[in-house]
Amino acid sequence: MKRASDFESSHNNEPEFFEPSYKIKPDFVPIPQILPTLPPIKDRTILSSVLTHQGTLRSFQNHSQNASYERYEFLGDGYLEIIARELLFSRFTEFPVGQLNKLKEELVRNKTLARFTVRYEIDKMARLPSGWLSDAGREKIHGDLFEAYLAGVILSDSKNGMEVARTWLKALWEPFLQGAETLSKAAQATVQNTIVQAREQKARAHAKEQGAKSQAKGQDTKALAKVQNAKEQARVQNTEAPAEVSITDDVQAEAQNAEAETQVNKESSKDARELLSTRLGGKGVRIDYKDERNPQRISPSEVKYFIAVYLTGWGRDDQLLGTGKGLNKREASKNAAVSALSNHALVDDIADIKQKHDEKVKKEREAKAAQNGRTYEEQIRFERKATADRKVQAKAEAIQQRIELANLNAGSNEGNGQTPRGHNDKEPEAKQPSRKRQRTSHTSSSDRSVDEVQLPWMQG
């Protein structure tokens, strides 16, 4: 048996053959350190044809089609495919078809077969035309020689040839197959770990959300109980004190604080997006939720989304407020809003600007209301109605402009001797038959339009 190291050392002095683009180097399909024995071709006639290139035949017309290796290469290619598919199918039982096809392509591609041919020195035994080594297609010729040799091994031994070829190829491919198994196990372990981690993360997030809801509910209950106790205490004091005496200032303040605490807890149970909109939203202000980056698949059935929330308004243009991630876009958007609300410095600054603007608008409305003899609420309703009326008026003016433009175009067409669109050149519009009458007319099919043609299912 010939070792790979022996082959490489014996060919170090052949630069004209081993050009840099074709040096034997480690590839995805490794070659065994010790090559398995090259099986013999028992029939000398077949051996001669397998090792003969068609270009060496002086007169191709005077020779049989089997005189060169071309037909054997055709058959060997089929044998190679069958053996590779059988081996992969039986060895990698858990692989999908797509992965099996990728492995098979690596096993039977010309680059892999050409390296086997060179290592066994089959090319040195072959009769090749002079000057072919400079041809850019020598890698394919090496691959064809290997396929032809495989066919010769099988054909020359009708009893055991197929089994000999199968054992030989399995030994050649064994390093590659072992590597594929190792990579497969590592990949499966990685995928399984990713799935487990994603499920654990989802469970923790769900438990955290449930805990937050339970805590908020408990706080609401305590706050309501506090309010009830304060009201009951006030009622008792009202009963014991004289009629003109009201609830004491301390009890009243305690009840107000409890009610405020209840309101805060109720707001915390709302969707964070709604809270963010309430704090920073306003007329002409946009709060946009956009993809921060592409979604990431963390398991075959789960995808993680990344959302960022931006604000345009209150003197800011596309201001990043916060980012969030989740197993769906709704969850990611909610977490982005939570992140924005947690950025107290930025949100409070914008909220102050909004508050000042709202106070300014309120004062202007109050001044207008006092000037026009209205209340503040009546002034708001008046302004809303005026805005709606302006929109209706603008829409009516736009429609009127389109009508005038259409009439102007129609008059221009009549002045130029053109018939307006929709009119028939042969008869006035008033005398045009309806679509239904056109379909029942008895004119010939050559004089009728598509809409006028009587289809079989329209008759009767």
Side-chain angles (χ1 to χ4, degrees), residues 69-188:
Y69 67 69
E70 282 194 345
R71 284 172 54 84
Y72 293 97
E73 177 266 328
F74 166 79
L75 183 60
D77 179 65
Y79 284 141
L80 195 68
E81 283 272 343
I82 292 174
I83 295 173
R85 289 176 184 271
E86 286 180 348
L87 182 59
L88 294 173
F89 180 83
S90 60
R91 184 154 180 170
F92 300 97
T93 56
E94 301 298 328
F95 277 28
V97 173
Q99 187 63 28
L100 292 177
N101 272 326
K102 290 180 181 179
L103 297 179
K104 187 264 296 180
E105 290 299 328
E106 289 296 329
L107 293 178
V108 303
R109 64 175 179 163
N110 275 331
K111 188 171 184 178
T112 301
L113 304 181
R115 296 172 65 211
F116 292 154
T117 298
V118 173
R119 287 299 179 89
Y120 279 112
E121 298 186 359
I122 298 175
D123 58 313
K124 289 184 173 294
M125 297 184 288
R127 291 188 293 274
L128 304 172
S130 58
W132 79 273
L133 290 178
S134 61
D135 188 357
R138 60 185 176 276
E139 183 178 282
K140 182 181 184 307
I141 295 178
H142 280 166
D144 293 346
L145 274 173
F146 187 86
E147 291 172 343
Y149 194 92
L150 174 65
V153 169
I154 297 173
L155 292 178
S156 65
D157 187 353
S158 58
K159 184 177 181 180
N160 300 316
M162 191 66 176
E163 187 59 34
V164 170
R166 185 181 287 109
T167 303
W168 174 45
L169 290 177
K170 182 179 179 182
L172 274 177
W173 290 335
E174 185 59 29
F176 168 76
L177 299 177
Q178 290 179 358
E181 284 180 338
T182 302
L183 291 175
S184 172
K185 292 177 181 179
Q188 289 177 359

Side-chain angles (χ1 to χ4, degrees), residues 94-390:
E94 301 298 328
F95 277 28
V97 173
Q99 187 63 28
L100 292 177
N101 272 326
K102 290 180 181 179
L103 297 179
K104 187 264 296 180
E105 290 299 328
E106 289 296 329
L107 293 178
V108 303
R109 64 175 179 163
N110 275 331
K111 188 171 184 178
T112 301
L113 304 181
R115 296 172 65 211
F116 292 154
T117 298
V118 173
R119 287 299 179 89
Y120 279 112
E121 298 186 359
I122 298 175
D123 58 313
K124 289 184 173 294
M125 297 184 288
R127 291 188 293 274
L128 304 172
S130 58
W132 79 273
L133 290 178
S134 61
D135 188 357
R138 60 185 176 276
E139 183 178 282
K140 182 181 184 307
I141 295 178
H142 280 166
D144 293 346
L145 274 173
F146 187 86
E147 291 172 343
Y149 194 92
L150 174 65
V153 169
I154 297 173
L155 292 178
S156 65
D157 187 353
S158 58
K159 184 177 181 180
N160 300 316
M162 191 66 176
E163 187 59 34
V164 170
R166 185 181 287 109
T167 303
W168 174 45
L169 290 177
K170 182 179 179 182
L172 274 177
W173 290 335
E174 185 59 29
F176 168 76
L177 299 177
Q178 290 179 358
E181 284 180 338
T182 302
L183 291 175
S184 172
K185 292 177 181 179
Q188 289 177 359
T190 302
V191 171
Q192 189 63 29
N193 290 336
T194 303
I195 293 174
V196 171
Q197 291 175 3
R199 288 176 178 173
E200 291 177 351
Q201 183 180 1
K202 186 176 181 180
R204 287 194 298 268
H206 180 71
K208 186 177 180 180
E209 183 178 359
Q210 293 298 324
K213 288 182 179 179
S214 300
Q215 184 179 0
K217 186 176 180 181
Q219 291 176 353
D220 288 346
T221 304
K222 291 180 181 179
L224 289 174
K226 199 172 183 180
V227 171
Q228 293 296 332
N229 291 335
K231 288 183 178 180
E232 180 65 20
Q233 183 179 357
R235 187 184 65 78
V236 172
Q237 291 182 0
N238 282 336
T239 303
E240 294 177 353
E244 65 274 7
V245 179
S246 61
I247 303 176
T248 63
D249 292 340
D250 293 340
V251 175
Q252 187 175 6
E254 186 177 356
Q256 291 176 353
N257 292 337
E259 289 179 354
E261 185 178 352
T262 303
Q263 183 64 25
V264 170
N265 290 331
K266 286 183 178 179
E267 288 184 356
S268 64
S269 64
K270 293 181 181 179
D271 191 326
R273 295 173 298 183
E274 183 180 350
L275 293 177
L276 184 63
S277 177
T278 302
R279 289 207 65 185
L280 306 182
K283 184 177 180 181
V285 177
R286 290 201 334 267
I287 299 178
D288 299 322
Y289 293 85
K290 305 176 183 178
D291 290 330
E292 182 185 11
R293 55 190 175 97
N294 292 332
Q296 175 186 357
R297 181 166 293 281
I298 59 177
S299 73
S301 60
E302 292 180 324
V303 177
K304 182 181 290 185
Y305 294 88
F306 303 88
I307 300 294
V309 56
Y310 297 87
L311 173 76
T312 298
W314 307 125
R316 286 170 169 80
D317 184 19
D318 251 4
Q319 171 70 55
L320 176 64
L321 301 179
T323 60
K325 55 187 176 181
L327 297 180
N328 53 60
K329 287 194 173 183
R330 180 182 178 84
E331 180 182 354
S333 300
K334 182 177 179 181
N335 291 334
V338 171
S339 173
L341 291 171
S342 301
N343 191 356
H344 297 291
L346 178 61
V347 173
D348 291 346
D349 184 34
I350 299 174
D352 289 342
I353 297 175
K354 176 191 174 184
Q355 183 179 0
K356 293 178 181 178
H357 175 268
D358 292 344
E359 291 175 353
K360 179 181 178 181
V361 171
K362 185 177 180 180
K363 289 181 180 179
E364 291 176 354
R365 281 179 174 171
E366 289 175 345
K368 288 182 180 179
Q371 183 180 359
N372 297 324
R374 305 187 186 98
T375 64
Y376 181 72
E377 289 75 13
E378 290 174 347
Q379 180 65 27
I380 292 177
R381 289 195 296 270
F382 175 80
E383 291 180 1
R384 290 177 178 173
K385 185 176 182 302
T387 301
D389 292 343
R390 285 195 299 270

Side-chain angles (χ1 to χ4, degrees), residues 379-415:
Q379 180 65 27
I380 292 177
R381 289 195 296 270
F382 175 80
E383 291 180 1
R384 290 177 178 173
K385 185 176 182 302
T387 301
D389 292 343
R390 285 195 299 270
K391 290 181 179 180
V392 172
Q393 181 65 25
K395 187 174 183 180
E397 291 176 357
I399 294 174
Q400 183 64 28
Q401 289 177 359
R402 288 199 294 270
I403 293 174
E404 292 176 356
L405 181 61
N407 292 335
L408 182 62
N409 291 335
S412 175
N413 290 336
E414 290 177 356

